[in-house]
Amino acid sequence: MPELPEVETVRAGLEQWVVGRTIKAVEVNHPRSIRRHVAGARDFAQLLKGRTITAARRRGKFLWLPLDSSDAIVGHLGMSGQMLVQPRTAPDEKHLHIRFDFTDRGPQLRFVDQRTFGGLAVSIGGAELPEEIAHIAKDPLEESFVDKEFVESLRRKRTGVKRALLDQTLISGVGNIYADEALWRARIHGNRPSDELSRQAAQRLLGEVKAVLREAIEAGGTSFDALYVNVNGESGYFERGLNAYGREGLPCHRCGTPIKRSTFMNRSSFYCPRCQKER
DNA sequence: CCTCATTCCTGCGGGC
DNA sequence: TGCCCGCAGGAATGAG
């Protein structure tokens, strides 16, 4: 499940493998994967033909590839999207939806996506910051992210702390896994009302969010199955670093109490009932 | 404006 | 052995 660390790993791979290359042709096999490109597949391909990719950037879980036209390819991996760099001779993947061929006749870039929650679009004039992602907040690893602003807006919200962490307009890049991990580290229950958190607790939580995201990037991301891989098809190994997510019934690494699982927002939450009191 | 439930999608694993 | 159901969940959407 790609969250910020997994998307960052993919971004780094794109920087290495596709920046500086010129697109020769684009093939769209599944219209749903470009549903956010309203003008359709033909327009998508036409805008990209002959363009050179000049960088690989990311904000939160969104990626974008600025082009020499000042447009950009903007993308989100959703639940199962993959950006793979593959030799032209490699057999098509089962869920290969978009293929990029380059003028250098080198490896292709392939967008593969089993559940089709992800997708790509051309953002007109979006090289600097695509308007498609301007509505989401900065992610906590951006230099211009302001801790105090996050702390204050978190405390202004009238909702649960975990729900707030998952709100991409408040802080971007955090998904279900790293939200649970940061809450475990900060010893805060995800159902705690966000407006009842002290400034100190909110700042501590933010510190743990940043720490866990950085550590996960270092490990190349978290992989539970073949769905999350880097551009070369390799898995990350941060799963070993998880303290809460997916550990129902297993002893808390701090106090030994079995980790609990509960469901809300249509998703699972894992927490230590002893370290993380609801109130 | 704010909060929250619903919807999209496919593969997998449990239960019968 | 096969079928059905629940589950995985990021983000857009619309209801209230």
Side-chain angles (χ1 to χ4, degrees):
Chain A
M1 290 122 236
E3 302 180 30
L4 187 152
E6 293 74 35
V7 179
E8 172 57 23
T9 303
V10 170
R11 188 208 64 76
L14 293 173
E15 184 160 78
Q16 181 177 355
W17 294 103
V18 305
V19 168
R21 301 176 68 193
T22 300
I23 297 165
K24 183 182 177 190
V26 180
E27 184 186 305
V28 178
N29 297 324
H30 197 322
R32 189 169 154 79
S33 293
I34 56 142
R35 66 192 180 283
R36 290 193 229 182
H37 189 87
V38 184
R42 189 182 292 249
D43 183 72
F44 179 83
Q46 196 59 242
L47 285 167
L48 296 178
K49 187 178 180 181
R51 299 275 63 85
T52 299
I53 296 170
T54 59
R57 303 187 62 187
R58 181 190 58 72
R59 169 170 283 183
K61 305 171 202 171
F62 280 90
L63 285 168
W64 75 100
L65 300 172
L67 305 168
D68 60 352
S69 57
S70 83
D71 299 336
I73 303 168
V74 58
H76 196 293
L77 301 179
M79 283 296 297
S80 55
Q82 304 175 335
M83 298 281 251
L84 300 177
V85 175
Q86 290 278 47
R88 300 191 311 152
T89 54
D92 288 4
E93 292 76 6
K94 181 171 181 190
H95 301 286
L96 170 58
H97 299 327
I98 304 172
R99 184 203 317 270
F100 296 82
D101 264 301
F102 295 91
T103 56
D104 57 21
R105 303 177 70 81
Q108 297 176 338
L109 176 62
R110 300 179 178 185
F111 182 74
V112 176
D113 191 3
Q114 177 192 102
R115 285 175 228 177
T116 67
F117 278 27
L120 304 181
V122 177
S123 173
I124 304 299
E128 198 49 44
L129 182 68
E131 62 173 351
E132 287 83 350
I133 64 177
H135 65 288
I136 71 164
K138 287 174 183 171
D139 72 58
L141 301 190
E142 290 185 67
E143 278 198 28
S144 54
F145 184 90
V146 182
D147 287 17
K148 197 173 238 176
E149 283 178 13
F150 168 76
V151 166
E152 294 311 317
S153 45
L154 175 67
R155 283 157 43 86
R156 268 197 302 274
K157 280 222 171 285
R158 295 186 54 81
T159 186
V161 180
K162 178 167 179 181
R163 196 183 281 272
L165 283 180
L166 296 176
D167 181 350
Q168 304 296 301
T169 65
L170 192 64
I171 181 172
S172 67
V174 181
N176 201 40
I177 297 174
Y178 297 107
D180 278 1
E181 291 302 309
L183 288 163
W184 181 89
R185 289 178 181 221
R187 306 184 195 219
I188 294 170
H189 195 290
N191 287 349
R192 287 260 300 276
S194 53
D195 57 351
E196 288 176 17
L197 274 194
S198 67
R199 286 189 175 79
Q200 199 174 24
Q203 182 61 55
R204 188 173 80 247
L205 176 61
L206 176 57
E208 298 296 357
V209 167
K210 292 184 187 185
V212 73
L213 293 177
R214 288 206 180 96
E215 289 169 35
I217 290 171
E218 196 66 30
T222 300
S223 306
F224 294 105
D225 49 34
L227 281 188
Y228 163 69
V229 291
N230 68 12
V231 298
N232 300 312
E234 300 155 347
S235 295
Y237 53 89
F238 191 71
E239 188 182 357
R240 299 170 208 170
L242 298 178
N243 290 298
Y245 188 86
R247 297 194 67 249
E248 182 180 15
L250 297 173
C252 169
H253 288 151
R254 260 191 315 249
C255 73
T257 306
I259 295 292
K260 271 197 169 182
R261 171 180 176 274
S262 67
T263 312
F264 89 118
M265 284 177 78
N266 277 334
R267 38 186 57 73
S268 292
S269 290
F270 300 89
Y271 63 98
C272 172
R274 183 168 171 191
C275 300
Q276 299 166 263
K277 296 286 189 203
E278 197 150 353
R279 48 181 60 257

